[in-house]
């Protein structure tokens, strides 16, 4: 079967993940992705062997972070601070459908890779740029990473419990969301080009993505003029909460509307008498006496292992599931059945499991097909096939340190 983006060529000049992650997704969908990197240096993510206290180095002088951000790509080294390097890049632009960068505006302009420069070379080009804080405003040229998106968007006040200080989530969540959003914008622009023939520039930011991820929270703040409370387990609605089971594992249940699910929940828990207990027989009472009911349910759930509770939930058609650790995912049969984790043959690690593309198509397919390339691995191939360079010309470019 054909892949959705077969025949689309994407040119990338990006670093780290918020931008390059987007072209990796387009590669999952079948696009040819060519990544331009600085000769001898490459994307700084290649050197990201640790982030904080987290070790990312893997055999073959590779890093996991680079693998995730640069799967499905070809690597070409070009010095875009030289006229000859810019000439080669402009040749590639003429042969591409999409150009994406997440470098800051002054750097992009200095490399002669701005939209104003590239548009005359290829009027049908989709030009995608990714920034930290947006293309307008006083901070448009300031840099930032995932944590700045979490901080400035309000994300850090959306996690944890009441009265906790702001909490930072694990790295990469907003970066990956920005990558998804950027790929979405590119696909939208490509679709518009199919209908109108027009290329255009699209822009996405880490801040804008994080706020859109918090859409309902931001909506409540703007329209309702209050901040959505953080989830405090002991005080939250008992039927929209998580509980520790007898084997130490947790489950999460969301039973809404609660009036319909209260009776079935009591029966599923083997406590049918609770349905008409005068302390909890209306949703208002269950909400007002949440601390008391959460404590009672804590005792109930602690009496049996999680699998038994989940089986009982299924029998009574109640909405609940396991609270997985990331290490649990590889053993979750639902994850595996839907190819949310898939096998990949890696050049230095052998067969590994990687996140699968989370959407299924009936008449096509999408998935990671290749690991991240070595720095400059495809330089000769791309310059020969797309730029029309002879082996002698490529040799001269290498002597001049352009590639």
């Amino acid at each position: 079967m054909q892949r959705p983006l077969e025949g689309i060529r994407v040119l990338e000049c990006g670093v780290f993940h918020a931008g390059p992650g987007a072209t990796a997704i387009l590669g999952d969908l079948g696009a040819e992705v060519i990544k331009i990197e600085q000769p001898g240096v490459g994307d700084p993510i290649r050197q990201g062997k640790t982030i904080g206290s987290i070790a990312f180095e893997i055999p073959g002088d590779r890093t996991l972070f680079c693998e995730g951000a640069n799967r499905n790509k070809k690597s070409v080294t070009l010095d875009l601070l030289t006229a000859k390097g810019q000439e080669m890049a402009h040749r590639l632009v003429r042969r591409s459908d999409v150009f994406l960068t997440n470098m800051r505006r002054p750097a992009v302009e200095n490399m002669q890779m701005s939209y104003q420069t590239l548009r005359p070379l290829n009027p049908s080009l989709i030009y995608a740029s990714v920034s930290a804080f947006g293309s307008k405003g006083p901070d448009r040229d300031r840099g930032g990473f995932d944590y700045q998106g979490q901080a400035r968007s309000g994300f850090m006040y959306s996690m944890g419990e009441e009265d906790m200080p702001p909490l930072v989530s694990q790295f990469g969540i907003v970066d990956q969301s920005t990558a998804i959003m950027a790929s979405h914008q590119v696909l939208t622009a490509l679709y518009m080009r199919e209908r109108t023939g027009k290329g255009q520039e699209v822009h996405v930011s880490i801040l804008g993505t994080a706020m859109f991820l918090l859409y309902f929270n931001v909506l409540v703040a703007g329209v309702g003029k209050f901040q959505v409370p953080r989830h405090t387990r002991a005080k939250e609605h008992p039927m929209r909460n998580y509980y520790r089971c007898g084997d130490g594992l947790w489950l999460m249940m969301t039973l809404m509307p609660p009036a319909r699910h209260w009776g079935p929940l009591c029966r599923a828990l083997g406590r049918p008498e609770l349905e008409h207990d005068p302390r909890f027989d209306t949703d208002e009472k269950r909400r007002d006496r949440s601390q008391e009911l959460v404590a009672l349910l804590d005792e109930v759930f602690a009496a049996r292992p999680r699998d038994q509770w989940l089986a009982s939930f299924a029998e009574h058609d109640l909405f609940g599931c396991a609270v997985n650790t990331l290490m649990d995912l590889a053993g979750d049969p639902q994850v595996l059945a839907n190819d949310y984790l898939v096998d990949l043959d890696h050049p230095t690690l052998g067969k590994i499991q990687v996140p699968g593309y989370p959407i299924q198509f009936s008449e096509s397919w999408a998935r990671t097909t290749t690991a991240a390339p070595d720095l400059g691995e495809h330089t000769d191939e791309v310059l020969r096939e797309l730029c029309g360079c002879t082996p002698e010309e490529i040799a001269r470019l290498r002597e001049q340190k352009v590639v």
Side-chain angles (χ1 to χ4, degrees), residues 165-214:
L167 297 178
V168 66
S169 182
Q170 291 180 327
F171 84 99
I173 292 175
V174 173
D175 270 356
Q176 175 66 4
S177 300
T178 304
I180 295 169
M181 184 65 73
S183 70
H184 172 80
Q185 303 302 346
V186 168
L187 293 172
T188 303
L190 284 170
Y191 176 68
M192 183 175 175
R193 191 181 71 176
E194 286 296 306
R195 293 187 297 115
T196 67
K198 295 179 180 179
Q200 63 180 302
E201 182 180 14
V202 297
H203 191 97
V204 64
S205 73
I206 292 172
L207 172 60
T209 297
M211 290 181 62
F212 207 58
L213 191 63
L214 293 167

Side-chain angles (χ1 to χ4, degrees), residues 2 7 34 56 76 84 90 135 157 162 221 245-246 253 307 310 315 327 335 353:
Q2 187 175 10
I34 299 170
F56 282 96
V76 171
K84 198 65 178 177
H90 291 172
S135 61
Y157 278 106
E162 188 179 348
C245 303
M253 66 179 181
D307 283 351
L310 291 177
E315 182 182 345
M327 299 299 291
V335 168
Q353 279 192 323

Side-chain angles (χ1 to χ4, degrees), residues 245 251 264 267-269 301 304-318 320-322:
C245 303
L251 65 75
R267 292 187 287 277
L269 297 177
F301 279 108
R304 296 169 64 187
R306 184 174 66 188
D307 283 351
Q308 292 185 20
W309 288 126
L310 291 177
S312 185
F313 270 44
E315 182 182 345
H316 291 83
D317 195 25
L318 298 172
C321 72

Side-chain angles (χ1 to χ4, degrees), residues 78-91 393 397 400 402:
L78 288 174
D79 187 348
L80 296 182
L81 297 179
T82 67
K84 198 65 178 177
Q86 292 164 7
E87 178 191 338
M88 292 296 113
H90 291 172
R91 290 191 199 181
E393 288 175 307
L397 291 173
Q400 297 165 359
V402 174

